[in-house]
Amino acid sequence: MADGPTITTIAERAGVSIASVSRVLNGLPTRQETVRKVMAAADELGYVRNAVARSLKSRRTHQVAFAMADVGNPAYLAMLRQIQPVLKAAGYRLVLHSTDAVVADEIDVLHSLGERYVDGLIMSPLRVTDAHLQMLAAARAPVVIIGTVPEGTPVDNVRADSRTGVRLAVDHLHSLGRRRIALVNGPPDTWPGASRGAAYREALEQLGLPYDDDLVQIGDFYRAQGGRAVAELLERAPDVDALMCANDLIALGALDVLRAAGRRVPDDVAVVGMDDTDLAAASWPSLSSVSLGSAERGKAAAELLLDRLNGDDAAPRVITVPPRLVVRASTAGETYGHEGGRT
Amino acid sequence: MADGPTITTIAERAGVSIASVSRVLNGLPTRQETVRKVMAAADELGYVRNAVARSLKSRRTHQVAFAMADVGNPAYLAMLRQIQPVLKAAGYRLVLHSTDAVVADEIDVLHSLGERYVDGLIMSPLRVTDAHLQMLAAARAPVVIIGTVPEGTPVDNVRADSRTGVRLAVDHLHSLGRRRIALVNGPPDTWPGASRGAAYREALEQLGLPYDDDLVQIGDFYRAQGGRAVAELLERAPDVDALMCANDLIALGALDVLRAAGRRVPDDVAVVGMDDTDLAAASWPSLSSVSLGSAERGKAAAELLLDRLNGDDAAPRVITVPPRLVVRASTAGETYGHEGGRT
């Protein structure tokens, strides 16, 4: 919903057309009487910080960008749903970039900060390369990274704790009696892929389960690729009894393939996803998933960026959002009463 | 994937850091030797149209915006997947707006064209109000509307034909022997809601089926709202044997509610969605759906906009993309061999 004064409400107050308000606020030639009415209405409605200020050649654009790694992944939409209202309430228009986690595109977005189309940026890269670090060090506007950057990187940073998250999921599967627990992961050269792979190995060790290469399958963080990875895994390790999937899209691909293969979920194979997206609760069977706090991370990132836009020049901050396991039908079967329950 | 030269490839060619390239292209103070190397590399790689031109105070931003009505609806993502590569290949960076179809936000995006952050705009409004028409008439950059605008509106316009689409779906349900065919629609004050409502009525008439108010349920174009609408409908008209849903998200909500109510799909109730999104093929049961050509509409819109950006000043054009019905398990049951088949 729109908050605060807009050119629509200014036009109503001034008794002129919306197009006239737009002309005045954009500094285009307009009759003096119209300019007077629009400026008066804008003042009364408290619009000054916004477009009027812009038309007076302020260096601020009152736009902020959010560069999403995958606009088709509801984990990022959950972030967006928190980021947008926080920034809007503060008078910022949000623009989005869809980078598909392509490094050159992310670098281009960081570079574009020098063009002053936006006052700040929230970015969720899957890989943080040397090029990212160079650009972050030279960034011409405040940047908040949702993801993990090395210590000493001069930007605010909101992290998930997927290590603990994977641990929660593997412990849960173990407690249900599963012993052939596979990992279906994304690319290991991404931060999420690397950290989830290491966490899986660690979790098995802590439980005294052997690590078996045959039980680790690498795909990508998309549904179709997740499905293909699980099909390969089932051929190589037909005795698998549980899948830890590195995100919900992979897990949905797993459900597709298990169904087609006639494997019952969770009786034959239990499945856990990661991110606890809207799709997890809505899938059939509903999907147990580790929430990495997408919504909380989005909100924290927006608030950190607002602080910077308001002039805060404290040292870079790191916020880590704790994970939690949401148990649903894909592991709990007919069991009711867990959070989320069976839909 | 990134096409053409980027600051990453320029840095490699020039043998300097990415941050240095960014500084030069943004016109910031840099050592003369570095400027020379970067400009030479940029020239060799054909980068001139882009950021170098911008730094030379061109009025072009080489950015284009796509204002999406619902970033969580995969129909818009299908458009985006076509729009992004067409514009990128032509040297434009795409920025997205998520308007949630809020009129004031769409007006604000049209207004922002005057701020020259982008060279052009593709917009998919659900309602075209007088305020939209005022702003379109005064637009300070080329605009392409995906949706339907009144004759004479001075912008290019890419339309779906949901009237024929609804007709295809209702005919299909009728041919399967269904006679209590309900419509689950979005708000009738939106263009899609109004046109799908009228088309449903028309389709029944052509088939000689009576129109029954009890079989029309209004919700909104989201999954949860679709589910709630179907729950109400089932109470009021328990003998319903088919649902024509005004988009796929509504249809997915319908599947959730029918499952919870113990109604078999398609045996008890057949379900058709609209937009033929990725979710239709991936749902369980897989969802029959009317494609309104989201991908084709996105591509056409991007190409129309490019023409305008290249100086084409011909009269506004209207392109209408024809619909087609994709039959899957939610109507065809155990039948195989249709497009998409049963997943």
Side-chain angles (χ1 to χ4, degrees):
Chain A
M1 298 296 299
D3 301 303
T6 65
I7 67 168
T8 308
T9 56
I10 293 172
E12 278 165 16
R13 173 74 68 114
V16 303
S17 74
I18 285 171
S20 295
V21 176
S22 183
R23 287 182 64 82
V24 171
L25 298 182
N26 279 325
L28 300 173
T30 318
R31 287 197 313 134
Q32 201 50 43
E33 175 63 10
T34 306
V35 174
R36 200 194 51 70
K37 284 184 189 165
V38 169
M39 297 302 265
D43 274 351
E44 286 165 34
L45 293 168
Y47 198 67
V48 177
R49 278 194 63 215
N50 258 336
V52 176
R54 272 200 292 279
S55 74
L56 296 176
K57 308 289 172 217
S58 145
R59 293 300 308 261
R60 305 294 286 265
T61 64
H62 291 275
Q63 289 198 138
V64 163
F66 175 32
M68 306 162 84
D70 176 11
V71 70
N73 183 335
Y76 296 104
L77 296 183
M79 292 177 193
L80 173 61
R81 276 188 220 107
Q82 298 295 319
I83 292 171
Q84 184 130 316
V86 169
L87 293 170
K88 193 167 178 178
Y92 290 89
R93 186 193 298 130
L94 186 66
V95 302
L96 308 173
H97 292 280
S98 173
T99 64
D100 291 323
V102 172
V103 171
D105 287 0
E106 291 175 349
I107 298 302
D108 183 53
V109 168
L110 288 166
H111 168 63
S112 77
L113 291 176
E115 296 164 5
R116 304 269 182 204
Y117 297 125
V118 294
D119 298 334
L121 170 68
I122 299 171
M123 178 174 269
S124 61
L126 297 189
R127 297 167 183 82
V128 178
T129 64
D130 280 351
H132 284 92
L133 296 177
Q134 280 181 33
M135 294 301 293
L136 289 172
R140 303 276 294 156
V143 179
V144 177
I145 296 291
I146 299 178
T148 297
V149 294
E151 297 300 326
T153 308
V155 294
D156 294 326
N157 181 208
V158 181
R159 303 182 180 187
D161 178 2
S162 57
R163 185 174 161 178
T164 303
V166 169
R167 179 75 194 281
L168 290 172
V170 174
D171 283 358
H172 170 61
L173 292 166
H174 183 263
S175 76
L176 297 170
R178 309 296 164 136
R179 293 299 178 265
R180 293 287 287 165
I181 302 170
L183 172 69
V184 192
N185 203 357
D189 70 325
T190 62
W191 178 258
S195 62
R196 288 162 207 190
Y200 164 77
R201 204 165 179 140
E202 220 177 77
L204 292 184
E205 214 167 87
Q206 298 238 6
L207 291 166
L209 290 177
Y211 176 87
D212 178 352
D213 261 341
D214 278 354
L215 289 179
V216 175
Q217 185 72 38
I218 307 295
D220 206 341
F221 293 110
Y222 302 96
R223 183 170 185 156
Q225 284 83 344
R228 280 200 287 277
V230 171
E232 286 178 45
L233 180 75
L234 287 179
E235 251 179 57
R236 201 177 54 234
D239 64 334
V240 62
D241 61 12
L243 300 178
M244 163 73 233
C245 299
N247 76 2
D248 280 355
L249 298 182
I250 293 174
L252 293 174
L255 293 181
D256 296 339
V257 166
L258 290 168
R259 186 185 293 124
R263 305 282 192 112
R264 290 167 305 163
V265 174
D267 309 58
D268 300 329
V269 182
V271 179
V272 182
M274 192 159 235
D275 281 335
D276 191 33
T277 62
D278 292 350
L279 294 176
S283 83
W284 181 254
S286 63
L287 183 67
S288 296
S289 188
V290 177
S291 167
L292 297 176
S294 302
E296 294 87 336
R297 283 184 288 151
K299 189 156 190 285
E303 288 168 350
L304 285 172
L305 186 60
L306 264 191
D307 284 351
R308 298 301 179 184
L309 293 170
N310 290 333
D312 181 346
D313 60 357
R317 283 163 296 179
V318 176
I319 293 178
T320 301
V321 173
R324 65 176 198 287
L325 175 69
V326 181
V327 175
R328 298 196 182 89
S330 69
T331 58
E334 297 299 322
T335 314
Y336 288 78
H338 289 90
E339 180 179 359
R342 187 171 176 184
T343 54
Chain B
M1 297 296 298
D3 301 302
T6 65
I7 67 168
T8 308
T9 56
I10 294 172
E12 279 164 15
R13 172 74 68 114
V16 302
S17 74
I18 285 172
S20 295
V21 176
S22 183
R23 287 182 63 83
V24 171
L25 298 182
N26 279 324
L28 300 174
T30 317
R31 287 197 314 133
Q32 201 50 45
E33 174 63 10
T34 307
V35 173
R36 200 194 51 70
K37 284 183 189 165
V38 169
M39 296 304 264
D43 275 351
E44 286 165 34
L45 293 169
Y47 198 68
V48 177
R49 279 194 63 216
N50 258 336
V52 177
R54 272 200 292 281
S55 74
L56 296 176
K57 307 289 172 220
S58 144
R59 294 300 308 261
R60 305 293 286 264
T61 64
H62 290 275
Q63 289 198 137
V64 163
F66 175 31
M68 306 162 85
D70 175 11
V71 70
N73 183 336
Y76 296 104
L77 296 184
M79 293 177 193
L80 172 61
R81 276 188 219 108
Q82 297 295 319
I83 292 171
Q84 183 131 315
V86 169
L87 293 170
K88 194 167 178 178
Y92 290 90
R93 186 193 297 130
L94 187 66
V95 302
L96 307 173
H97 293 280
S98 173
T99 64
D100 292 322
V102 172
V103 171
D105 287 0
E106 291 175 347
I107 298 302
D108 182 55
V109 169
L110 288 167
H111 168 64
S112 77
L113 291 175
E115 295 164 5
R116 305 269 182 202
Y117 297 124
V118 293
D119 298 335
L121 171 68
I122 299 171
M123 177 174 270
S124 61
L126 297 189
R127 297 167 183 84
V128 178
T129 64
D130 281 351
H132 285 92
L133 296 178
Q134 281 181 34
M135 294 301 292
L136 289 172
R140 304 275 294 155
V143 179
V144 177
I145 296 290
I146 299 179
T148 298
V149 295
E151 297 300 327
T153 308
V155 294
D156 294 326
N157 181 208
V158 181
R159 302 181 181 188
D161 179 2
S162 57
R163 185 174 160 178
T164 303
V166 169
R167 178 75 193 282
L168 290 172
V170 174
D171 283 358
H172 171 60
L173 293 167
H174 183 263
S175 76
L176 298 171
R178 308 296 164 136
R179 293 298 178 268
R180 294 287 286 166
I181 303 169
L183 172 69
V184 192
N185 204 358
D189 71 324
T190 62
W191 178 259
S195 62
R196 290 163 206 189
Y200 164 77
R201 205 166 179 137
E202 220 175 78
L204 292 184
E205 214 167 88
Q206 298 237 7
L207 292 167
L209 290 177
Y211 177 87
D212 179 351
D213 261 341
D214 277 355
L215 289 178
V216 175
Q217 185 73 38
I218 308 295
D220 207 341
F221 293 110
Y222 303 97
R223 182 169 186 156
Q225 284 84 344
R228 279 201 287 277
V230 171
E232 286 178 45
L233 180 75
L234 286 178
E235 252 180 56
R236 202 177 52 234
D239 63 336
V240 61
D241 61 12
L243 300 177
M244 163 74 233
C245 299
N247 76 3
D248 280 357
L249 298 182
I250 292 174
L252 292 174
L255 293 180
D256 296 339
V257 166
L258 289 167
R259 187 185 292 124
R263 304 284 191 112
R264 291 167 305 163
V265 175
D267 310 57
D268 300 330
V269 183
V271 179
V272 182
M274 191 159 236
D275 281 334
D276 190 33
T277 60
D278 293 350
L279 294 177
S283 83
W284 181 255
S286 64
L287 183 67
S288 296
S289 186
V290 177
S291 167
L292 296 176
S294 302
E296 294 89 335
R297 283 184 287 151
K299 190 156 189 287
E303 288 169 350
L304 285 172
L305 187 61
L306 264 191
D307 285 351
R308 299 300 180 186
L309 293 170
N310 291 333
D312 181 347
D313 60 357
R317 283 163 296 180
V318 176
I319 292 178
T320 301
V321 174
R324 65 176 199 285
L325 176 68
V326 181
V327 175
R328 297 196 184 88
S330 70
T331 58
E334 298 299 322
T335 313
Y336 287 78
H338 288 91
E339 181 180 358
R342 188 171 176 186
T343 56

